[in-house]
Amino acid sequence: MTENPSQQSASTPELPTQYAPAEVEGKLYERWVERGYFTADPASEKPPYTIVIPPPNVTGALHLGHAFQVTLMDALTRRKRMQGFETLWLPGMDHAGIATQNKVEQQLAEEGKSRQDLGREQFTERVWQWKEEFGGRILGQLRRLGAGLDWSRERFTMDEGLSKAVQTIFKKLYDDELIYRAERIINWCPRCLTAISDIEVDYQDDDGELVSLKYGEGDETLVVATTRVETMLGDTAVAVHPDDERYAHLIGKRIKLPLTNRTIPVVADHHVDPEFGTGAVKVTPAHDPNDFAIGQRHGLESMTIMDERGVITVHGPFEGLDRFEARSAIVAALREQGRVVAEKRPYVHSVGHCSRCKTTVEPRLSLQWWVKVETLAGAAGDAVRDGRVELHPKEMEKRYFDWVDNLNDWCISRQLWWGHRIPVWYGPAGEVVCVGPDEEPPSGDGWTQDPDVLDTWFSSGLWPFSTLGWPEETPDLKKFYSTDVLLTGHDIIFFWVVRMMMFGLYAMDGEVPFKTVALTGLVRDEFGKKMSKSNPNAVDPIDWMDNYGSDAVRFTLAKGANPGADVPIGEDWVQASRNFANKIWNATRFAMMNGATVEGPLPPVEQMSATDRWILSRLNATVAEVDAFYDDFQFAKLSEALYHFAWDEVFDWYVELSKTTFFAGGEQAKVSARVLGEVLDVTLRVLHPIVPFVTEQLWTTLTGGESLVVADWPEDSGFRDDAAEKEIELVQQVVTEVRRFRSDQGLQPGQKVPAELSVTGTALAPHEAAIRQLLRLQPAGDGFHATATLPVAGATVALDLSGTIDVEAERKRLTKDLGAAEKEKAQANGKLGNEAFLGKAPDNVVDKIRARLAKAEADIERITAQLANLPQS
């Protein structure tokens, strides 16, 4: 077992009768920070262990998803610190370009101003002011949760060092011809007036309309269908499949585009599915990504027909209309000309919306900056294929490869003022100069810097190494890169994980940014529904921490954390975790009041009772089990293992079985008190990474040690005692079976019953007093009459229930229940014996009836036994 360098004094400090999280948590956390427990030392000779926190947005507040991932990262780092690693868990925030700019623009709007009124420089200053005043609230909330972050290394994606890293890698990519500028289709928000990334587009089912339109005249007509009728003004072709015989006579010809004075060609393209719809599709290269690709293959013109705000800019009758106003007007005009063949309304289809402002996103041809990802993505794929990076759970690899092997070039420019400005200058004669961080930009008449800023994901893609000081060769970078674990949600594996993989391998000469990617699911409500601010199921974790304590929230989240799977959570479960924290407190307090101690070495095994040897055997097995689960990121399983060991085996069995020993006193009580102290010491250590506060308060009181944060992690000593485990299992069987019988007879848990207990000559003999205590069995005195005899686990328990229950009333109740069970059995057998029913009923219905039959048969067996055990009148 573990060594205990800090010995408990003879006079154990007294614990309050009740655990009050609010009085404990804040003080303990400040003590941890003040003592520097979370501050990593790059000069340490200890092996490093590094995690960088997925940086929350500077605008963000703690939600259950944050609390969930932070709890798991904190558990990992706390355990590694206890195992002797120089542990760095690095905190920071993302500048969150669009979200933060929107916040400040909203403030300005309340003042009757816009960012244009201030100008770029003053607006940027205003954002920095907002950041200093309102940003970063979430970091304080992480302290409340108990996150053991190294606050001395807090980073921000717009701080000086990270800004230098961004400019450095942009310059390097540009010089290596991996960054270029080109017109492509991007996601455009007409309200935020910027390109947005795929992850900033939320798709939802909207009610729209599907309109089928007739193009051409006479024999040279075909029908196309669209949900965005307004884009027909920008059509430059109709495409059909080259093998579609229906349109073979039209391929290569030009047909009339309605409402315009233009004709457009009919082109043959294998992208068209001849089985879908009419087999003919309109092609609008400037307003649809698939159409843009068709246009590139066939050299089609790209006509932009709306401006950045979604207002139509072509064709007189519709010019100046908003895109949705134009949609209705164009349908009406086409209907008047007899061009509308069919209209389906409402037509429910998936539509992209800006995640910030909820505006419908518009695919738009735009001149933007791009990263050429082919070689970068290839390296990111190879790192997982050759095992340098492990994805956990492994089944996520297929999704990863499907994405990274088919990755399109990445649009990195944003039309915002808040963010890292693109370090490119344009000269009066068309010159283009990319400037590194240590270079002077060109100056003079006609030179201007590109107005765009970089996608937020560009800077956060550098996070694992920029936060450690790259591009400088810092001690932190040397000691703590590459990081050990990236723990994040599976929903951003494509958008963030892949970006970090590409940039890390590129910037760090092929060294991976992290060795393991542990992917979690999303937190949902207790019914499995997604939590949302717009739904009444959204929960503020701070409220739960106020009501139940941070440990309760943490334990509930960890207990639901199966790798890659979504996590349902409800308030009842947090209450149950609060009860667990209270159980730990109360049981430890009771144990200390009865002499539990860590003073001195453990007594020799031969001096221990079977109960002592059993709990030490189970303790070591649990430590080994928990270690294996940690290494496999099985947080739910390790939490369950800890819960059942602590509550069931330590508190409900060992403490209860030992009460008679403690009450009796003597040398055996001293041995058990030392064993109990050891068990509590180790149990509190292994619980600490998940529930740090209650364990810290109890452990420091029990042991007099400095802090669990810097205590040793317990190791499995290898001690096992199969004989003791089997012996206590027999005790548990006797107690469990008799308790079940007592409950079936309607006896209260504390109600005492006269009984004879025959255990002489069995392994149960040493435990007779404990069994009697646990079962509330009184000695059989004069007039004892055994009304029920239970043979179990080699023992015989004879009970005198006369005078404790109303036998006749109980017999009537059980007889009634037996009749209902027999009726249920007969009905189920009748249906299962009916061939006509079985031939028509769905499998799930038949399965339910079989389950009903099995339950009825079990009920009949149980009730019959209860009736047989009733005292005779």
Side-chain angles (χ1 to χ4, degrees):
M1 301 311 296
T2 56
E3 295 293 328
N4 291 283
S6 300
Q7 303 301 316
Q8 184 187 31
S9 64
S11 177
T12 303
E14 189 172 328
L15 288 167
T17 55
Q18 291 184 325
Y19 177 51
E23 297 176 11
V24 169
E25 294 176 349
K27 295 177 184 177
L28 286 181
Y29 191 84
E30 290 308 314
R31 183 192 308 165
W32 293 335
V33 173
E34 288 169 5
R35 293 181 178 180
Y37 293 154
F38 305 139
T39 303
D41 180 6
S44 169
E45 294 183 358
K46 295 179 182 179
Y49 183 83
T50 313
I51 292 181
V52 291
I53 195 171
N57 286 352
V58 66
T59 60
L62 187 71
H63 58 65
L64 278 175
H66 290 134
F68 170 55
Q69 292 181 356
V70 166
T71 293
L72 304 189
M73 284 183 277
D74 195 39
L76 290 174
T77 51
R78 283 179 182 271
R79 172 174 173 260
K80 285 296 182 180
R81 190 179 292 110
M82 295 173 75
Q83 287 181 318
F85 287 79
E86 191 61 32
T87 302
L88 170 60
W89 186 21
L90 194 148
M93 292 183 295
D94 190 282
H95 65 276
I98 294 178
T100 309
Q101 181 159 318
N102 279 349
K103 287 280 187 185
V104 178
E105 288 196 80
Q106 289 168 11
Q107 270 193 348
L108 290 174
E110 292 172 3
E111 300 169 13
K113 299 176 183 177
S114 70
R115 60 178 163 128
Q116 286 78 15
D117 293 331
L118 272 66
R120 184 170 195 141
E121 185 175 345
Q122 288 188 29
F123 177 78
T124 304
E125 290 177 1
R126 179 72 177 258
V127 180
W128 277 107
Q129 291 172 8
W130 182 93
K131 184 260 182 186
E132 294 304 317
E133 185 175 356
F134 300 106
R137 176 164 59 115
I138 189 172
L139 297 183
Q141 294 172 326
L142 295 183
R143 291 171 178 259
R144 175 73 188 278
L145 191 64
L149 289 151
D150 184 348
W151 297 108
S152 70
R153 286 176 167 84
E154 182 183 330
R155 302 306 300 266
F156 179 53
T157 50
M158 289 279 286
D159 68 29
E160 184 178 352
L162 269 63
S163 295
K164 181 177 181 179
V166 168
Q167 196 170 352
T168 300
I169 202 164
F170 188 100
K171 171 71 171 172
K172 181 175 170 60
L173 289 163
Y174 183 88
D175 290 346
D176 288 344
E177 297 183 349
L178 293 175
I179 281 183
Y180 64 94
R181 196 180 190 215
E183 278 196 320
R184 297 282 189 276
I185 293 287
I186 46 88
N187 301 309
W188 182 265
C189 176
R191 187 260 170 229
C192 296
L193 300 180
T194 181
I196 58 177
S197 67
D198 291 338
I199 198 172
E200 292 164 327
V201 179
D202 292 336
Y203 286 91
Q204 66 185 47
D205 288 339
D206 285 358
D207 285 344
E209 59 181 348
L210 181 67
V211 183
S212 298
L213 308 173
K214 182 170 66 176
Y215 283 17
E217 301 288 353
D219 294 335
E220 296 182 352
T221 62
L222 39 68
V223 175
V224 299
T226 180
T227 58
R228 298 164 66 217
V229 176
E230 68 279 5
T231 63
M232 60 87 58
L233 298 177
D235 286 356
T236 55
V238 173
V240 298
H241 193 276
D243 300 330
D244 194 334
E245 295 181 358
R246 293 172 295 175
Y247 305 117
H249 66 292
L250 290 177
I251 295 174
K253 293 185 177 181
R254 300 185 71 86
I255 62 173
K256 184 177 179 181
L257 179 65
L259 302 182
T260 70
N261 295 320
R262 296 190 290 118
T263 61
I264 56 176
V266 177
V267 300
D269 196 282
H270 284 90
H271 170 76
V272 180
D273 180 2
E275 302 298 323
F276 184 77
T278 64
V281 297
K282 59 190 288 298
V283 181
T284 321
H287 294 277
D288 184 273
N290 294 322
D291 293 2
F292 179 78
I294 293 175
Q296 292 285 292
R297 288 193 289 271
H298 296 278
L300 302 175
E301 179 186 3
S302 295
M303 290 185 59
T304 299
I305 56 101
M306 64 181 77
D307 67 13
E308 59 185 10
R309 297 183 182 277
V311 174
I312 302 299
T313 57
V314 299
H315 199 69
F318 311 108
E319 190 173 356
L321 295 179
D322 172 81
R323 52 186 167 153
F324 300 119
E325 295 173 337
R327 182 176 298 175
S328 300
I330 291 170
V331 170
L334 291 167
R335 191 184 297 116
E336 188 175 332
Q337 291 187 7
R339 293 281 182 177
V340 176
V341 176
E343 296 178 75
K344 186 175 182 181
R345 189 185 298 111
Y347 178 73
V348 179
H349 62 131
S350 182
V351 177
H353 296 260
C354 174
S355 63
R356 305 299 175 191
C357 67
K358 310 308 177 187
T359 301
T360 299
V361 169
E362 191 67 38
R364 187 170 188 261
L365 184 62
S366 182
L367 182 62
Q368 301 283 347
W369 285 94
W370 304 80
V371 172
K372 191 182 296 183
V373 302
E374 183 177 0
T375 57
L376 299 173
D382 292 343
V384 174
R385 287 189 171 93
D386 63 25
R388 283 176 291 154
V389 176
E390 176 188 356
L391 260 61
H392 191 92
K394 191 174 179 61
E395 52 264 28
M396 286 290 180
E397 284 187 1
K398 183 180 184 303
R399 290 179 61 190
Y400 178 84
F401 292 135
D402 286 347
W403 177 264
V404 81
D405 292 345
N406 298 285
L407 197 60
N408 295 319
D409 285 358
W410 172 19
C411 176
I412 57 172
S413 46
R414 298 291 180 267
Q415 290 64 56
L416 302 170
W417 287 356
W418 173 244
H420 296 100
R421 194 163 175 182
I422 289 176
V424 172
W425 272 255
Y426 306 109
E431 302 96 330
V432 179
V433 177
C434 181
V435 177
D438 300 319
E439 300 171 350
E440 286 294 326
S443 59
D445 292 342
W447 283 95
T448 58
Q449 185 178 358
D450 193 298
D452 291 350
V453 300
L454 287 163
D455 179 11
T456 297
W457 296 98
F458 190 95
S459 52
S460 61
L462 314 181
W463 193 249
F465 52 95
S466 65
T467 52
L468 297 174
W470 186 91
E472 307 300 327
E473 288 288 339
T474 64
D476 277 2
L477 189 65
K478 184 177 180 180
K479 176 73 174 181
F480 296 112
Y481 189 88
S482 63
T483 68
D484 289 88
V485 176
L486 172 73
L487 191 143
T488 190
H490 63 65
D491 56 325
I492 59 171
I493 181 174
F494 311 127
F495 306 103
W496 188 44
V497 177
V498 172
R499 310 296 192 220
M500 288 188 289
M501 287 281 282
M502 292 193 302
F503 281 170
L505 291 162
Y506 174 74
M508 299 299 293
D509 299 321
E511 191 174 358
V512 297
F514 25 73
K515 302 174 186 72
T516 301
V517 180
L519 296 165
T520 69
L522 307 178
V523 177
R524 297 184 178 274
D525 71 12
E526 58 193 305
F527 305 107
K529 294 181 180 179
K530 182 178 179 180
M531 287 190 176
S532 170
K533 291 181 181 178
S534 59
N535 293 334
N537 65 352
V539 172
D540 184 345
I542 298 296
D543 291 341
W544 278 356
M545 285 188 269
D546 286 342
N547 293 332
Y548 308 111
S550 298
D551 284 332
V553 174
R554 290 170 60 111
F555 192 74
T556 306
L557 291 165
K559 207 174 179 187
N562 290 297
D566 288 347
V567 183
I569 184 172
E571 189 165 5
D572 289 349
W573 305 343
V574 185
Q575 291 175 354
S577 295
R578 185 267 317 274
N579 295 343
F580 180 51
N582 289 341
K583 181 77 171 182
I584 298 170
W585 181 273
N586 294 334
T588 303
R589 182 174 177 273
F590 169 84
M592 292 174 64
M593 289 172 61
N594 284 276
T597 179
V598 298
E599 186 174 354
L602 276 174
V605 172
E606 56 268 20
Q607 293 182 13
M608 298 180 187
S609 68
T611 308
D612 295 334
R613 299 194 307 275
W614 162 73
I615 196 62
L616 290 176
S617 181
R618 291 296 308 130
L619 177 67
N620 276 282
T622 300
V623 169
E625 187 178 32
V626 167
D627 275 334
F629 285 144
Y630 261 117
D631 292 341
D632 199 34
F633 302 99
Q634 297 279 358
F635 294 98
K637 290 182 178 179
L638 73 88
S639 299
E640 283 289 337
L642 289 169
Y643 177 88
H644 289 297
F645 175 72
W647 191 307
D648 298 341
E649 295 184 299
V650 178
F651 302 142
D652 277 0
W653 283 109
Y654 181 70
V655 170
E656 293 298 321
L657 285 169
S658 301
K659 279 183 177 179
T660 53
T661 302
F662 291 138
F663 294 159
E667 289 303 312
Q668 190 57 54
K670 293 179 181 178
V671 171
S672 293
R674 179 64 188 89
V675 170
L676 179 54
E678 181 75 8
V679 171
L680 290 174
D681 174 16
V682 175
T683 301
L684 292 171
R685 291 177 194 242
V686 292
L687 278 167
H688 176 72
I690 303 292
V691 284
F693 293 109
V694 66
T695 52
E696 173 84 342
Q697 188 72 14
L698 292 171
W699 186 85
T700 53
T701 305
L702 171 71
T703 69
E706 180 185 348
S707 172
L708 269 176
V709 180
V710 291
D712 291 337
W713 180 258
E715 295 182 0
D716 172 16
S717 70
F719 175 79
R720 299 290 190 280
D721 192 324
D722 292 340
E725 291 199 31
K726 289 177 181 177
E727 186 172 319
I728 301 305
E729 283 176 11
L730 293 177
V731 175
Q732 291 172 325
Q733 285 180 35
V734 172
V735 173
T736 301
E737 287 299 317
V738 177
R739 279 177 173 170
R740 182 179 296 119
F741 175 78
R742 287 174 54 106
S743 176
D744 288 342
Q745 304 309 312
L747 295 177
Q748 296 300 314
Q751 190 172 352
K752 294 181 178 181
V753 178
E756 290 180 344
L757 180 59
S758 302
V759 294
T760 305
T762 72
L764 295 166
H767 307 284
E768 180 174 357
I771 292 171
R772 281 189 170 277
Q773 170 67 24
L774 289 170
L775 290 174
R776 304 295 190 268
L777 302 181
Q778 290 180 323
D782 294 340
F784 175 82
H785 174 61
T787 59
T789 303
L790 304 175
V792 55
T796 302
V797 184
L799 303 170
D800 184 355
L801 301 180
S802 57
T804 60
I805 60 172
D806 186 334
V807 176
E808 287 307 312
E810 186 66 11
R811 181 174 282 112
K812 287 181 180 179
R813 183 184 71 80
L814 290 172
T815 302
K816 181 179 179 181
D817 291 347
L818 180 62
E822 288 173 337
K823 181 178 179 181
E824 176 73 3
K825 176 182 176 180
Q827 290 176 342
N829 274 328
K831 289 185 178 180
L832 294 174
N834 186 333
E835 293 297 331
F837 171 78
L838 293 177
K840 295 179 181 178
D843 290 345
N844 65 319
V845 173
V846 175
D847 289 342
K848 286 181 180 179
I849 294 173
R850 288 189 176 126
R852 284 169 49 194
L853 175 61
K855 183 179 183 304
E857 290 174 336
D859 287 345
I860 290 170
E861 183 179 356
R862 174 179 57 80
I863 297 168
T864 301
Q866 289 177 232
L867 282 167
N869 283 318
L870 280 176
Q872 299 301 312
S873 333

